[in-house]
Amino acid sequence: MWWGGRGQSFNIAPQKAEPDMGLSGPKPVQRTGMLESRSCQLGSHLALGCLPGEQILAWAPGVRKGLEPELPGTLICTNLRVTFQPRGWQRSQETPLSSEYDFVLVNIGRLEAVSGLSRVQLLRPGSPLKFTPEEILIHGRDFRLLRVAFEAGGLEPQAFQVTMAIVRARAQSSQAQQYAGISLSKAGQSSGPRKPPVPLLETSEDWETERKKQGAGSWRVSPVNERFDVATSLPRYFWVPKRTLDSEVRRAFGHFHQGRGPRLSWHHPGGSDLLRCGGFYTASDPNKEDIRAVESMLQAGHSDVVLVDTVDELPSLTDVQLAHLKLRALCLPDSSAAEEKWLSALEGTRWLDYVRSCLRKASDISVLVTSRVRSVVLQERGDRDFNGLLSSLVQLLSAPEARTLLGFQSLVQREWVAAGHPFLTRLGVTGASEEAPVFLLFLDCVWQLLQQFPAEFEFSEFFLLALHDSARVPDTLTFLRDTPWERAKQSGQFNSYTQIYTAGYSQLPAGNSVNPQLSVWDWDLRYSSEQILQFHNPGYDPEHCPDSWLPRQQPNFMVSGPPSSVWLFSRGALTPLNQLCPWRDSPSLLAVSSRWLPRPAISSESLADQEWGLPSHWGACPLPPGLLLPGYLGPQIRLWRRCYLRGRPEVQKGLSAPTISGLQDELSHLQELLRKWTPRISPEDHSEKRDPNTIVSQSR
């Protein structure tokens, strides 16, 4: 299955020749500079399409196991990747990295050598191999598994050598290579500048275009952070209230954690505004003018303001990381969990519980945004993790435009990349202790929405898988930096600027640079036409286009709030507050976690019923057009099997239901999807063949 990873083409800087490993077998084949020939000959029966600067370190014949039928071929280790090439298989020149068979070195999570029935050695970078392996197991960080059994008959030295080559290549896959990145060689074939398929929000023009698209007339683009001297983790431009001066913005942002003050994330067509900000500095002592500026920015011209403690009822970063590690261990083929206790073990990882919590909170915030004209402020101390997750989910639930292929990519670029989510740190590339895959948790939440509302999304599960795997492969600046300033610095936009402090930033080595024109959204540079075709959801209802959505300012369901009302949203209920800023009469309600506040009992009515004033016995509240409220109870939250169980091919083939009851569950699920799609899809729709170039152009 191609969606196990990605099909990208890399270009890395020339590297020095590897020293002799002291092992028998062929020497590394040196490949430096831009090569005219892209084939590295290993023998008369085998040719690997090498990339510019790629060096073959070792290879050995073997059989890929775990699939039916088993595939004979060759396991190859280079200074960039580990790949298995089936016998007689020809690699595509358009996508020289085949995602089904290639493991980029930085994506290898665990390496095991096996001999006999009982000898298993976990091979860490730099560790010696204690025996000649009969099998090798490569576990990817993206849940893939490559299992290769080596051939006997005098080829044991080659098996030993290729295994040790992988161990040493992982150790030598230095931070310099990871940070400098690998640019796409195919892009160099095009002449002239390449227009990004998705606005990267690096210019004021991009932000102004997006502001007009949202209809945010009371907001403007502020260049106050153009030199990154307000906050290195914020973009150069962002939206602030039109009547707020840049001098006031600069002073107000100085009273927030890491300088991340309140700014607009999304303007609802009905009039509400969704804002996000960091936590207050408790020791800050602003003057009256600064307090008025902060209050004005939080109110955003509204009389009704709701402060949302983002992390309330959500897992901590440590919880997310621990749950993901448990999930990955459980989904391995050699998991110690018994088959009859597997579901209990899955529940014990807490991963699905965290997905459920995120969806529930996002649903409540969506109701807050759509039920009344108000300012809804997401507040998280760092403003770089769960604020982005909830803001993105709220827009997916409330805005049909965000569910299109272009809209979703623009959403991720704005709320995650431009907003300064620390991808390197959270995905564990830097080796820091703050690893926590919050972005992957978000993608799981989006997949849940796809399952519950299959006709509402233009993109498919395979697009989500491609994006999931893209986060693990360092090829563009999109996921290769922690802050917008680091991306701008690496792309050479600010070489003349004075370097300012950024926590955790390491100076990049000279000569290793990423093509600044490229982003993760350049799918046609890394995927074949057949793969791009599968990015589109065949069940998408084209009538759910932005042009047929809500007109501006609909008063029939958007109700103005009472004058000067301030609320704290906690545990699914609204609590009135006496103040908006923390520097007046009492301790900060934003700097201190809302867990110290009195907890109202969770109402038996849904928040939608409470907000629209309908008693629970009247039944479900009629939802505004375009709003989705997902289910999050019990079996409504499913395991993303096509992603997490990729190391177990028998599950992907439908062999996970050997019993009659299991088959009935599978059939019920398919019938449910068919029932949701049938009213929206005609037979003619299925017969239409889509041009992959059209799909790519639609995302530009």
Side-chain angles (χ1 to χ4, degrees):
M1 293 173 290
W2 67 268
W3 52 83
R6 307 202 299 156
Q8 56 270 70
S9 167
F10 292 102
N11 175 21
I12 60 179
Q15 299 190 11
K16 297 180 180 179
E18 295 290 337
D20 188 354
M21 295 183 182
L23 303 173
S24 59
K27 302 291 184 181
V29 181
Q30 303 300 326
R31 291 285 186 258
T32 59
M34 299 297 295
L35 305 182
E36 295 182 1
S37 174
R38 300 176 67 86
S39 292
C40 306
Q41 298 295 330
L42 303 181
S44 59
H45 67 289
L46 180 66
L48 172 67
C50 276
L51 305 167
E54 187 172 14
Q55 309 167 16
I56 294 179
L57 305 179
W59 59 275
V63 176
R64 179 171 182 176
K65 307 189 73 174
L67 299 175
E68 294 294 340
E70 296 180 345
L71 295 176
T74 304
L75 182 68
I76 306 169
C77 175
T78 76
N79 61 327
L80 168 64
R81 53 178 162 163
V82 177
T83 182
F84 180 82
Q85 184 157 326
R87 188 174 301 165
W89 176 73
Q90 296 296 323
R91 185 178 294 270
S92 170
Q93 292 299 316
E94 291 189 0
T95 55
L97 267 179
S98 170
S99 59
E100 184 174 0
Y101 300 115
D102 291 319
F103 282 70
V104 177
L105 291 174
V106 296
N107 190 34
I108 297 177
R110 192 171 76 176
L111 182 66
E112 294 178 321
V114 180
S115 178
L117 298 177
S118 58
R119 298 189 70 182
V120 179
Q121 182 182 352
L122 178 63
L123 298 174
R124 296 181 173 85
S127 62
L129 182 59
K130 300 178 180 179
F131 52 82
T132 299
E134 297 178 3
E135 287 188 13
I136 186 172
L137 280 75
I138 302 174
H139 301 272
R141 294 179 181 271
D142 55 7
F143 290 86
R144 287 187 298 150
L145 172 66
L146 178 62
R147 179 185 174 192
V148 177
F150 296 111
E151 296 182 3
L155 297 178
E156 290 81 0
Q158 285 183 267
F160 186 90
Q161 181 184 11
V162 73
T163 304
M164 282 303 303
I166 297 173
V167 173
R168 298 190 179 188
R170 289 182 67 200
Q172 295 168 3
S173 179
S174 63
Q175 289 188 350
Q177 175 181 329
Q178 295 176 22
Y179 285 9
I182 309 163
S183 61
L184 302 170
S185 61
K186 188 177 176 182
Q189 302 172 6
S190 61
S191 59
R194 177 182 176 87
K195 181 181 179 181
V198 173
L200 302 182
L201 299 175
E202 295 175 346
T203 65
S204 59
E205 290 78 13
D206 288 346
W207 285 92
E208 180 64 17
T209 301
E210 182 64 25
R211 184 194 67 81
K212 292 180 178 179
K213 185 187 301 183
Q214 294 189 14
S218 59
W219 297 81
R220 67 176 179 87
V221 178
S222 172
V224 69
N225 196 43
E226 196 168 27
R227 295 173 61 93
F228 295 102
D229 52 351
V230 173
T232 59
S233 62
L234 284 178
R236 297 174 63 199
Y237 310 97
F238 44 78
W239 298 314
V240 298
K242 182 176 291 186
R243 296 183 179 181
T244 305
L245 302 177
D246 282 342
S247 58
E248 295 175 321
V249 173
R250 183 182 296 274
R251 292 198 309 269
F253 275 42
H255 301 295
F256 288 84
H257 184 69
Q258 293 185 355
R260 299 179 67 89
R263 62 209 183 278
L264 178 67
S265 280
W266 178 59
H267 176 76
H268 188 276
S272 289
D273 291 311
L274 181 65
L275 286 70
R276 58 186 291 182
C277 68
F280 281 110
Y281 277 128
T282 55
S284 181
D285 186 21
N287 56 37
K288 293 182 179 180
E289 289 75 15
D290 291 351
I291 293 178
R292 282 196 294 266
V294 171
E295 289 179 338
S296 175
M297 297 179 71
L298 292 173
Q299 290 174 337
H302 299 281
S303 60
D304 193 14
V305 183
V306 178
L307 306 176
V308 180
D309 184 358
T310 298
V311 298
D312 182 41
E313 298 183 285
L314 293 186
S316 66
L317 295 177
T318 302
D319 293 336
V320 173
Q321 172 66 2
L322 182 60
H324 193 261
L325 291 176
K326 290 181 178 179
L327 178 66
R328 195 163 65 188
L330 179 65
C331 293
L332 293 176
D334 57 351
S335 172
S336 59
E339 192 68 27
E340 62 274 9
K341 296 182 179 180
W342 198 89
L343 293 179
S344 299
L346 175 62
E347 183 180 357
T349 66
R350 301 296 305 278
W351 181 260
L352 296 184
D353 288 338
Y354 299 153
V355 172
R356 183 177 294 109
S357 299
C358 293
L359 287 176
R360 173 165 184 163
K361 187 142 192 174
S363 299
D364 288 344
I365 298 172
S366 300
V367 172
L368 292 173
V369 172
T370 57
S371 60
R372 285 172 170 78
V373 179
R374 54 167 50 123
S375 171
V376 179
V377 184
L378 303 179
Q379 193 262 343
E380 178 189 21
R381 184 176 185 274
D383 183 36
R384 301 175 66 185
D385 293 294
F386 289 104
N387 267 5
L389 183 147
L390 290 179
S391 177
S392 301
L393 289 179
V394 168
Q395 295 177 58
L396 284 172
L397 294 175
S398 308
E401 182 183 14
R403 303 170 206 149
T404 65
L405 190 59
L406 174 60
F408 182 75
Q409 293 175 100
S410 300
L411 174 69
V412 173
Q413 183 69 29
R414 184 177 70 253
E415 298 296 334
W416 292 88
V417 182
H421 177 69
F423 285 102
L424 276 181
T425 300
R426 295 292 179 258
L427 295 176
V429 180
T430 63
S433 59
E434 296 87 1
E435 181 178 355
V438 180
F439 182 68
L440 305 185
L441 178 65
F442 162 70
L443 294 182
D444 197 320
C445 293
V446 178
W447 181 82
Q448 303 292 338
L449 298 179
L450 276 175
Q451 305 311 299
Q452 297 191 29
F453 307 100
E456 305 287 341
F457 292 84
E458 185 182 22
F459 53 89
S460 68
E461 176 184 15
F462 303 116
F463 173 78
L464 288 181
L465 281 166
L467 187 56
H468 177 280
D469 296 341
S470 298
R472 294 290 191 183
V473 180
D475 56 356
T476 67
L477 286 177
T478 306
F479 299 133
L480 200 56
R481 296 294 179 270
D482 277 344
T483 66
W485 176 72
E486 292 180 10
R487 294 186 187 91
K489 184 73 174 179
Q490 175 62 15
S491 63
Q493 299 180 42
F494 305 103
N495 288 336
S496 61
Y497 282 17
T498 302
Q499 180 168 329
I500 50 183
Y501 173 73
T502 299
Y505 176 74
S506 301
Q507 184 64 38
L508 303 176
N512 293 299
S513 62
V514 178
N515 189 333
Q517 299 177 353
L518 301 178
S519 71
V520 71
W521 316 120
D522 289 287
W523 300 112
D524 57 333
L525 294 180
R526 293 163 290 147
Y527 284 89
S528 66
S529 300
E530 293 77 10
Q531 294 169 340
I532 293 175
L533 276 173
Q534 297 189 56
F535 285 1
H536 193 275
N537 175 18
Y540 175 64
D541 184 356
E543 294 182 358
H544 294 169
C545 61
D547 294 338
S548 64
W549 193 36
L550 294 170
R552 302 295 174 187
Q553 300 290 343
Q554 274 212 355
N556 59 336
F557 76 95
M558 301 295 290
V559 183
S560 296
S564 303
S565 57
V566 181
W567 307 85
L568 174 70
F569 180 69
S570 174
R571 294 229 171 184
L574 292 169
T575 304
L577 299 178
N578 296 324
Q579 63 182 38
L580 184 57
C581 286
W583 302 291
R584 290 198 180 271
D585 300 324
S586 63
S588 170
L589 292 176
L590 289 178
V592 183
S593 172
S594 65
R595 290 179 174 84
W596 69 271
L597 294 170
R599 291 292 192 187
I602 299 179
S603 174
S604 60
E605 298 176 348
S606 68
L607 183 61
D609 293 337
Q610 297 176 53
E611 281 290 282
W612 281 293
L614 297 179
S616 58
H617 63 269
W618 281 22
C621 172
L623 300 180
L627 177 63
L628 306 177
L629 292 183
Y632 42 77
L633 301 177
Q636 292 175 307
I637 302 299
R638 301 172 179 268
L639 177 69
W640 190 0
R641 297 197 308 170
R642 203 183 295 274
C643 178
Y644 302 138
L645 297 179
R646 282 183 283 184
R648 305 175 70 174
E650 72 280 1
V651 176
Q652 304 295 339
K653 294 182 179 181
L655 301 180
S656 59
T659 64
I660 296 297
S661 60
L663 292 173
Q664 289 176 339
D665 291 340
E666 294 286 339
L667 179 60
S668 299
H669 177 55
L670 293 175
Q671 289 175 336
E672 179 184 356
L673 291 178
L674 183 62
R675 176 181 57 80
K676 293 178 180 179
W677 280 350
T678 299
R680 307 181 185 273
I681 305 178
S682 61
E684 291 79 8
D685 295 329
H686 287 291
S687 62
E688 293 181 357
K689 293 185 177 180
R690 297 184 58 86
D691 183 0
N693 296 324
T694 303
I695 297 178
V696 173
S697 63
Q698 287 177 350
S699 66
R700 296 188 175 182

